[in-house]
Amino acid sequence: MVAESTVGYSARRDGDWPRPPRCRVLTVANQKGGVGKTTTSVNLAAALSMHGQRVLVVDLDPQGNASTALATDHRAGTPSVYQVLVDDLSLASIVKPVPDMPGLFCAPATLDLAGAEIELVPMVGRETRLKRALSSFDSMEFDYIFIDCPPSLGLLTVNAMAAAQEVLIPIQCEYYALEGLSQLLQNVELVRVHLNQTLALSTILLTMYDGRTRLASQVADEVRSHFGDTVLSSVIPRSVRVSEAPSYGQSVMTYDPGSSGAMAYMEAAREIAYRAATVAGAS
């Protein structure tokens, strides 16, 4: 698999994309499960790293799926985000390079993180533990930091929002797609007002799009009518390859770079990179 991974990597390097003027910290959040948060975090990060960006994925989900997909050790006892939040371990000490992916790094999560929600409750500044860890971390060497959230609106997700500048919401093109979204947006606003005035909803990505159904296009149209230019033009289709890739410790970008899922994530990442350049140029 390593040989195939390396071929996939070099085959996709068709030139570097513009780097943002400063490190962009994006929280990937949606309290609904199964909408593609981890898949989106991992594959956008991989695609950006393949085009000259230095990217860190912070795995904030106790399930550790992002760590698995990035072939980063997260067995019990491994120093992880849990120790960063609860024991004040430095973030730099747990960051690991992703094998065969130059420029891509992961801060792993272990199952210990499942208890962090309760352990953080009595702590001073419990909502800003990750923000404090990131502020003492040398993010200058990174262009992007993606924080992969658990499927809840608990303390871990609040920590992620308090630490980020931007929120990226994956929305699946299925029935009930917008259900619960108002609560998520309300939480984003509460965090912005009370904990992080720079936080903004910058990006919405439509996932699990099935072009054979009328429902998928209706949901996409509804999301675009609500959120306008915040929604990326790129849409992520349903793809078996995307689901298979993590079991090989890879993103779909290296597992099958020619698949529809890989090409869609590549386009979404390209859009994110060039949008940042356009905004920077305008300002």
Side-chain angles (χ1 to χ4, degrees):
M1 256 321 166
V2 174
E4 183 181 328
S5 166
T6 308
V7 169
Y9 183 86
S10 58
R12 300 303 298 177
R13 280 300 294 266
D14 53 16
D16 290 350
W17 295 338
R19 300 175 65 182
R22 64 187 177 103
C23 179
R24 294 178 66 187
V25 184
L26 296 97
T27 285
V28 183
N30 191 329
Q31 74 270 32
K32 287 172 72 80
V35 301
K37 285 187 297 295
T38 298
T39 302
T40 293
S41 301
V42 165
N43 288 299
L44 288 179
L48 286 162
S49 75
M50 291 161 73
H51 288 273
Q53 316 290 316
R54 287 177 62 82
V55 190
L56 169 64
V57 175
V58 177
D59 192 350
L60 210 59
D61 187 341
Q63 296 175 83
N65 291 335
S67 305
T68 299
L70 295 174
T72 303
D73 184 17
H74 61 107
R75 290 170 294 182
T78 304
S80 69
V81 174
Y82 170 80
Q83 281 82 7
V84 171
L85 294 177
V86 176
D87 299 329
D88 290 324
L89 190 67
S90 73
L91 183 60
S93 67
I94 70 163
V95 170
K96 300 289 187 290
V98 175
D100 301 317
M101 293 290 288
L104 184 57
F105 299 80
C106 178
T110 59
L111 275 173
D112 293 332
L113 202 53
E117 294 268 3
I118 296 170
E119 292 178 62
L120 286 172
V121 169
M123 291 188 175
V124 175
R126 61 191 179 189
E127 301 95 347
T128 55
R129 304 283 291 183
L130 183 60
K131 182 177 186 176
R132 193 169 69 184
L134 267 179
S135 66
S136 60
F137 175 70
D138 185 12
S139 61
M140 291 292 291
E141 64 177 290
F142 291 102
D143 298 300
Y144 293 87
I145 296 176
F146 288 93
I147 306 174
D148 183 36
C149 292
S152 73
L153 292 177
L155 262 178
L156 291 176
T157 299
V158 170
N159 262 270
M161 290 183 183
Q165 304 142 3
E166 307 176 42
V167 177
L168 188 160
I169 303 177
I171 297 179
Q172 81 280 34
C173 296
E174 295 180 350
Y175 198 56
Y176 294 137
L178 300 179
E179 189 179 69
L181 197 57
S182 60
Q183 187 183 358
L184 174 58
L185 296 175
Q186 186 177 354
N187 277 39
V188 171
E189 181 60 17
L190 284 171
V191 170
R192 190 190 67 77
V193 170
H194 296 289
L195 298 170
N196 181 5
Q197 293 182 0
T198 64
L199 187 67
L201 171 59
S202 67
T203 313
I204 290 176
L205 178 63
L206 295 166
T207 63
M208 302 178 188
Y209 184 86
D210 187 343
R212 300 169 299 178
T213 67
R214 183 182 298 176
L215 176 63
S217 59
Q218 288 175 339
V219 171
D221 289 344
E222 186 175 357
V223 172
R224 291 189 193 284
S225 69
H226 272 80
F227 297 102
D229 291 340
T230 305
V231 187
L232 294 180
S233 301
S234 310
V235 174
I236 311 302
R238 283 198 170 277
S239 169
V240 174
R241 291 308 211 192
V242 169
S243 305
E244 287 176 349
S247 63
Y248 291 91
Q250 294 186 49
S251 68
V252 74
M253 313 311 300
T254 55
Y255 177 66
D256 188 353
S259 66
S260 60
M263 290 190 287
Y265 270 115
M266 188 64 79
E267 284 308 309
R270 187 195 309 272
E271 209 174 332
I272 287 172
Y274 278 92
R275 278 189 176 195
T278 303
V279 170
S283 59

